[in-house]
Amino acid sequence: MPLRLQMLGTGGAFAKTYYNNNGLLSADDYTLLIDCGITAPMALHKLNQSLDDIDAVLITHIHGDHVGGLEEFAFRMKYVVGRKPRLYVAEPLLKPLWENTLKGGLSQEGIIHSLEDVFEVYPLTERQAVQLAPGLSVELLRTPHIPGKSSYSLYLNDEIFYSADMTFQPKLLEQLVHDRGCRRILHEVQLTGPGEVHTTLQELLTLPEEVQEMILLMHYGDEMENFIGATGQMQFLKQHEIYTL
Ligand SMILES: [Zn+2]
Ligand SMILES: [Zn+2]
């Protein structure tokens, strides 16, 4: 059963033309929201996407463009839809996600005191694949982004790599392709300026052509259209289009 992916947005953290880089990943009638950034509620609204159809949300790391929409998502799920969605998140992120990000807005005396009061929380362990639904498994791979901040890329169905925000890791990509049969790579890209905490287009262009052919680029800036035709064998992932992976 092929996976379907529809990105709510494909923009980098400061993009304005594109929504935050969050995606709806579906296997049959099961739908996982990958990250829920500041613009996610608006993007879901634009797509006419009912929250009722979202079974679970998975968080890759704690930055506004990946978690900034969770407060509204949690409130609407609780008070409008009337259901606790599943929350998949790496165990080390659980405490900071509540204490540093969500507690201030979500806390309600006698009603909401923890993530568990609004989500069915499923802590994930890196390098351990978990079956989320028939036809969909996820394994977290810890990948470097900001020093001192944990961030996790995804390995889906043991064949599709979905990068969190990350610095360039050519050895990891090579190992996934050659040792683990990876056939599709969804990768963040920074088109201009130094990468520092992201992966630049120049870096991705150093990958072998057969690896580039597997890559769809996401998490890009508003200048994306200027780079069409300048991405080697790689293509841009487009927000709101439905892809079969
Ligand atoms: Zn980001
Ligand atoms: Zn980030």
Side-chain angles (χ1 to χ4, degrees), residues 102-173:
L102 293 174
K103 186 179 177 181
L106 279 176
S107 290
Q108 275 184 272
E109 208 173 274
I111 301 173
I112 302 174
H113 298 280
S114 68
L115 288 176
E116 286 78 6
D117 291 324
V118 280
F119 295 107
E120 294 289 342
V121 179
Y122 284 75
L124 298 176
T125 305
E126 61 175 310
R127 299 259 169 202
Q128 276 185 23
V130 173
Q131 198 77 30
L132 304 194
L136 176 59
S137 71
V138 172
E139 176 183 338
L140 294 187
L141 303 174
R142 194 166 190 265
T143 42
H145 177 29
I146 305 277
K149 195 175 188 66
S150 297
S151 180
Y152 299 86
S153 294
L154 314 180
Y155 199 45
L156 306 166
N157 287 358
D158 211 25
E159 60 179 8
I160 299 160
F161 180 72
Y162 181 105
S163 89
D165 295 2
M166 61 185 276
T167 56
F168 188 44
Q169 304 296 318
K171 285 212 177 82
L172 171 66
L173 297 177

Side-chain angles (χ1 to χ4, degrees), residues 61 63 65-66 145 165:
H61 70 292
H63 268 156
D65 56 322
H66 300 266
H145 177 29
D165 295 2

